[in-house]
Amino acid sequence: QNQVDVAEALREATVGVRFRRFVFGVERKLTSEQRNVMAAAFDAADQAVKGKKVLLDTKRLEYKRVVGRVLAAMGFWREITVPFEDVGVRLIRRDKVEAFEAQMAVIKKELDINLTALDKVYADAREQAKALLGNLFDENDYPPSLKKFFGFTWDYPSIEPAAALKKIAPQIYAQQQAAVAAKFAGAVVAAEAMLASEMHKMLSAWIDRLTPGPDGKKKVIRKDALDGFQQVLARIK
């Protein structure tokens, strides 16, 4: 009964939030002709050779900053939510939506700034790739700009049965309600497991830091580790 109550409380206190991300794919498969050349070079059968080429240097600071902002958005989405059964959807507390929107807007603005910086060095990055790839270089692999090829979106899809269904087909509506209730019960279990895993990792790290080394020397716990511990406790609450 307690589990049912918790699931119902979770249902009343949260909404679903869906996150999608997209990044420019820097790898391309080699064409059959290119694989044939590789196979001939190694005296191998054509069907036994596979390969890919890398279009851009992913170690470039501008590229790393852009990808970092996309990953930061995904990380924040996961940090402020708990798992849910629907693909790509997690649950966020209703009273956290405003803060979520504000932070995502900040990250989106930072991404736009970093994308502008990446576009400024894009021509140079293509020339670098041309020199490195040699005959594998193909202009068609490179769009005029990368701004539309990196980003993220989020929305709030309905995870409740359509209200109109209650009048149209009450029995089906009841089945849908039961299915949603089961999903929230599963979300409770998933959230508990997620938070327990985070706590376990945190405590394991602390135990390691509190255990003297082979030479008997004491170890030090940094203040940011304590801050992280407090954050996990706050999240569990």
Side-chain angles (χ1 to χ4, degrees):
Q1 184 60 45
N2 182 61
Q3 191 81 347
V4 172
D5 292 342
V6 173
E8 188 59 33
L10 185 67
R11 187 172 181 176
E12 293 177 359
T14 62
V15 294
V17 55
R18 176 171 50 201
F19 178 86
R20 296 186 178 97
R21 66 183 176 96
F22 50 96
V23 296
F24 178 69
V26 296
E27 295 182 352
R28 295 288 186 277
K29 290 183 178 180
L30 298 182
T31 65
S32 57
E33 292 79 9
Q34 291 165 343
R35 293 198 304 271
N36 291 342
V37 172
M38 287 181 59
F42 291 100
D43 194 23
D46 296 348
Q47 64 270 25
V49 175
K50 295 182 180 180
K52 61 185 178 182
K53 58 182 177 178
V54 180
L55 305 183
L56 294 173
D57 179 9
T58 57
K59 293 182 180 179
R60 273 184 174 266
L61 183 60
E62 295 85 0
Y63 177 88
K64 292 170 70 173
R65 283 175 174 170
V66 166
V67 174
R69 290 300 83 202
V70 175
L71 295 179
M74 184 176 69
F76 180 64
W77 168 67
R78 294 184 65 86
E79 177 185 333
I80 202 170
T81 59
V82 295
F84 193 62
E85 193 172 308
D86 292 357
V87 178
V89 177
R90 292 171 69 87
L91 300 176
I92 183 172
R93 286 178 59 99
R94 296 172 189 265
D95 59 3
K96 297 291 186 182
V97 170
E98 188 174 348
F100 175 74
E101 284 284 328
Q103 181 62 18
M104 293 297 271
V106 169
I107 299 175
K108 181 67 169 62
K109 186 176 181 179
E110 293 171 346
L111 173 63
D112 291 341
I113 293 172
N114 288 322
L115 275 171
T116 298
L118 178 60
D119 250 21
K120 288 182 179 179
V121 300
Y122 182 38
D124 178 64
R126 283 201 309 267
E127 288 303 311
Q128 180 189 25
K130 188 174 183 178
L132 292 173
L133 290 170
N135 293 332
L136 294 178
F137 182 81
D138 185 351
E139 283 283 356
N140 296 322
D141 290 328
Y142 300 85
S145 169
L146 293 177
K147 285 191 173 183
K148 295 182 179 180
F149 290 85
F150 290 91
F152 55 87
T153 62
W154 69 94
D155 61 352
Y156 304 89
S158 175
I159 53 181
E160 296 288 347
L165 192 61
K166 189 173 183 178
K167 293 183 178 179
I168 299 171
Q171 185 175 357
I172 296 177
Y173 179 77
Q175 292 173 353
Q176 293 277 314
Q177 284 279 17
V180 172
K183 288 182 180 180
F184 274 93
V188 171
V189 175
E192 290 174 344
M194 178 191 71
L195 295 171
S197 176
E198 289 185 14
M199 178 62 79
H200 180 265
K201 290 179 181 178
M202 183 73 68
L203 291 177
S204 295
W206 274 53
I207 289 171
D208 178 67
R209 298 306 302 169
L210 289 168
T211 304
D215 55 3
K217 289 185 179 180
K218 293 182 179 180
K219 299 179 182 179
V220 177
I221 293 179
R222 295 174 50 173
K223 184 179 181 300
D224 57 2
L226 177 59
D227 293 339
F229 186 70
Q230 297 286 8
Q231 289 171 10
V232 171
L233 291 179
R235 193 174 179 200
I236 290 174
K237 182 177 179 181

